Amino acid sequence: MKTFDVDYALGIFPILFKYIDITVSMALIGTVIALFIAILIAVMKTYKVKVVSQFCDLYISFLRGTPLLVQLFLLYYGLPQIFPVFANLDAYSASVAGLSLHFSAYMAESIRGAISSIDKGQFEASYSLSMSKTQTFIYIILPQAIRVAVPSLMNNFIDLIKSTSLAFTLGVPEIMAKAQLEASSSYKYFESFLAVALVYWVIVLVFTYIQKKLEKKLNKAYTV
């Protein structure tokens, strides 16, 4: 019976730490892009823009109804066969694009729900002050909606961080890919995957702490 190799497990952490920047950068860039797309979709669905709103429903349904791994494969392996211009798309960019599109569908629903929770009287009050729909949305509605949606959006972000582990299937040299490589060469699978699990856990704990601080700051003006 094999025993747990403590020295090997400790020794693999410095190796994994070298690739944390790739994992975190994919998560941050993916979240920014996803949030931008999500806001656009939420606006289209809220104001029920003809045709576009129906396309948004289809977009959300497809991305939420199919596995992220399949979407990554479609982008990286399938898309270049249909559109040769994407043949030069590297694995990192394909991973970021896949993560952005996938999680934008979830974020869009979170933001749309947050917008719907805003008192309709605020819309009417803004219009009475001669503010346009665009001005009302940007300056009055969106800031409040983001505050309401922050917990849900942060949960999406944390899920996105963990989902970056799928990027190794495309060949991105992030921490999961490195753990897989180390495990294959040493046959110490338990130690390698336990180490990478702990690294992901620490990353999530850090951003969970940031989430709590952000929520407290945003809610400060609303607490008595």
Side-chain angles (χ1 to χ4, degrees):
M1 180 178 178
K2 293 184 178 180
T3 58
F4 184 81
D5 191 334
V6 177
D7 291 334
Y8 176 84
L10 294 176
I12 199 174
F13 281 108
I15 299 174
L16 297 179
F17 289 157
K18 295 178 182 179
Y19 298 88
I20 284 182
D21 60 328
I22 298 177
T23 294
V24 174
S25 67
M26 280 196 299
L28 292 176
I29 295 172
T31 298
V32 171
I33 298 174
L35 189 57
F36 177 76
I37 297 173
I39 291 174
L40 291 178
I41 293 175
V43 172
M44 299 300 177
K45 286 178 64 64
T46 298
Y47 289 102
K48 295 180 172 57
V49 180
K50 293 182 178 179
V51 181
V52 178
S53 180
Q54 295 176 337
F55 173 79
C56 290
D57 288 335
L58 180 63
Y59 174 92
I60 292 173
S61 177
F62 178 79
L63 290 173
R64 293 179 64 178
T66 56
L68 174 57
L69 184 59
V70 173
Q71 295 167 19
L72 290 175
F73 281 8
L74 279 173
L75 282 172
Y76 190 58
Y77 297 112
L79 203 59
Q81 293 185 338
I82 306 299
F83 303 101
V85 68
F86 290 102
N88 295 324
L89 186 67
D90 61 89
Y92 180 90
S93 299
S95 298
V96 171
L99 290 167
S100 301
L101 294 174
H102 183 80
F103 283 94
S104 67
Y106 290 91
M107 291 182 178
E109 288 298 278
S110 297
I111 295 174
R112 185 189 62 80
I115 293 174
S116 300
S117 70
I118 304 301
D119 187 359
K120 301 301 180 183
Q122 297 197 38
F123 288 89
E124 297 171 359
S126 299
Y127 297 152
S128 69
L129 295 174
S130 300
M131 295 180 70
S132 66
K133 285 187 176 181
T134 301
Q135 290 175 322
T136 298
F137 183 78
I138 293 176
Y139 298 110
I140 306 297
I141 305 304
L142 185 59
Q144 296 181 71
I146 292 296
R147 182 186 67 84
V148 174
V150 161
S152 179
L153 292 176
M154 285 300 297
N155 287 335
N156 291 148
F157 173 61
I158 289 173
D159 285 341
L160 195 155
I161 291 175
K162 293 181 289 186
S163 296
T164 59
S165 61
L166 293 176
F168 92 94
T169 60
L170 304 187
V172 179
E174 43 77 65
I175 57 177
M176 184 62 190
K178 195 59 182 177
Q180 173 72 18
L181 183 62
E182 292 296 320
S184 298
S185 61
S186 65
Y187 294 101
K188 296 184 182 296
Y189 292 100
F190 185 78
E191 291 88 341
S192 298
F193 293 133
L194 177 61
V196 77
L198 292 175
V199 171
Y200 275 113
W201 188 24
V202 170
I203 294 174
V204 169
L205 287 176
V206 169
F207 282 106
T208 299
Y209 174 79
I210 295 174
Q211 172 190 353
K212 292 179 180 179
K213 289 293 184 181
L214 180 60
E215 287 181 23
K216 185 177 181 180
K217 184 175 182 179
L218 291 174
N219 291 324
K220 188 175 182 180
Y222 296 86
T223 56
V224 179

